[in-house]
Amino acid sequence: MRAWAFVPVLGVIALLAGCSVSPFNLLSDEQRIDLRDGASAYQQEVLADLVVDETEYRQAAEDWHSCVSSSGAEPSDVTHNGNELTFNVTIQAATEMAVASIQRVADACLPEYFDAIGRVWVSQGTKLS
C-alpha cells in the first residue's frame, strides 16, 4: 500500500496564505454575490446574506471534512491555521488509479461545502474565537 498526502485543492493553499485581510482579499458585495451565485446550493444558503458568521464557517469546515472522510480519504482533525480552519488529507490505496479515484471524489468536497464560504470568511477578517 502506498500512502499519498495531498492538500485537497489549490484553493486551500490560497486560503492558508490569506490569514490577514489585505486589499488583495477584500471582497466587494458584487464579488460576494458572484461567489454565492456560482457556488453549490449548500454554500448559497450560507451566503444568502453575503456574510459568514463563525458558526456557519465552523459547520462548513466540518461538513467539508465529513465529505472528504466519506470519499475514502483520511483527513486529519480540523485545526486552526491562523484565523482559518484546515486539515490535511492522506489517501492510501493499492494502486495509483485507486488513489486518483479517491482524490477526485475528495476534491469535489471543497467546492461543494467550503470554497466560497472560506473566501468570504477570509475577506471579512473576522477572528476565530
Side-chain angles (χ1 to χ4, degrees):
M1 267 194 168
R2 244 186 226 178
W4 296 82
F6 72 101
V7 175
V9 172
L10 291 178
V12 175
I13 295 168
L15 288 176
L16 296 178
C19 291
S20 63
V21 176
S22 73
F24 299 109
N25 58 13
L26 291 176
L27 297 173
S28 67
D29 283 348
E30 183 177 314
Q31 290 169 313
R32 290 175 192 224
I33 290 167
D34 288 345
L35 274 173
R36 180 197 63 202
D37 292 351
S40 67
Y42 174 95
Q43 292 187 88
Q44 286 180 6
E45 185 175 327
V46 172
L47 296 172
D49 60 0
L50 303 180
V51 175
V52 177
D53 66 34
E54 185 170 348
T55 300
E56 292 169 327
Y57 180 67
R58 288 182 180 279
Q59 185 62 56
E62 287 299 325
D63 291 344
W64 173 33
H65 184 274
S66 294
C67 178
V68 169
S69 182
S70 296
S71 75
E74 298 173 26
S76 65
D77 291 337
V78 175
T79 59
H80 287 185
N81 184 357
N83 197 38
E84 299 171 53
L85 300 173
T86 190
F87 55 88
N88 294 315
V89 176
T90 302
I91 296 176
Q92 295 184 3
T95 66
E96 288 184 33
M97 183 180 272
V99 168
S101 178
I102 293 169
Q103 185 169 351
R104 262 191 313 280
V105 176
D107 285 350
C109 297
L110 180 66
E112 179 63 27
Y113 292 101
F114 195 75
D115 189 41
I117 292 168
R119 290 176 65 190
V120 170
W121 173 262
V122 168
S123 78
Q124 295 173 159
T126 309
K127 302 243 185 250
L128 285 171
S129 58

